[in-house]
Amino acid sequence: GFPALGIPGADMAKTIEARHLEGFFRIHVLQEPDQGGETFVEGVSRRLKQLGWDGQALVVKLSDVKDVNDFHKKHGEAFRDEFRKALSAATPLPDPPANAEPTLNSL
């Protein structure tokens, strides 16, 4: 019941295309609790800026687990309610670092 796009690996945020975001005004980026998670969030922020996407992007951190699969295993039948709580606690996606690549519109 939750539309999702999975991206395999922190360095793969650059594969996001504008067509993946069509029809969405808000997205949630799940940040894993390690350096790869930070790299992924930074990459998504950079890529959204490159694409000129003007929707709302939020970061979700799942407590005590690495990813949504572990979160599901941990919460079982309470998964939907617990996941909704995690989504409601999301924070705004930070801007990419100042050294981010230029946007496609500025090339």
Side-chain angles (χ1 to χ4, degrees):
F2 297 98
L5 170 65
I7 300 175
D11 295 328
M12 297 303 291
K14 62 188 172 205
T15 65
I16 298 170
E17 297 179 19
R19 65 185 173 91
H20 298 138
L21 303 168
E22 289 176 5
F24 293 98
F25 64 91
R26 179 185 318 119
I27 62 170
H28 291 85
V29 179
L30 273 61
Q31 181 176 352
E32 293 183 0
D34 57 17
Q35 183 60 44
E38 291 178 27
T39 300
F40 181 68
V41 166
E42 183 178 300
V44 170
S45 180
R46 179 179 294 118
R47 186 63 178 155
L48 294 178
K49 185 171 184 172
Q50 288 171 339
L51 294 172
W53 190 70
D54 62 355
Q56 180 185 30
L58 303 165
V59 177
V60 177
K61 295 180 182 180
L62 302 175
S63 61
D64 302 329
V65 295
K66 178 172 171 42
D67 57 30
V68 73
N69 185 49
D70 288 342
F71 193 78
H72 185 267
K73 288 178 189 176
K74 178 180 177 180
H75 293 287
E77 291 187 25
F79 169 76
R80 289 183 192 280
D81 290 336
E82 292 301 317
F83 194 62
R84 283 187 181 99
K85 288 178 190 175
L87 293 177
S88 68
T91 58
L93 183 75
D95 290 331
N99 63 351
E101 298 170 21
T103 66
L104 296 178
N105 295 335
S106 66
L107 296 177

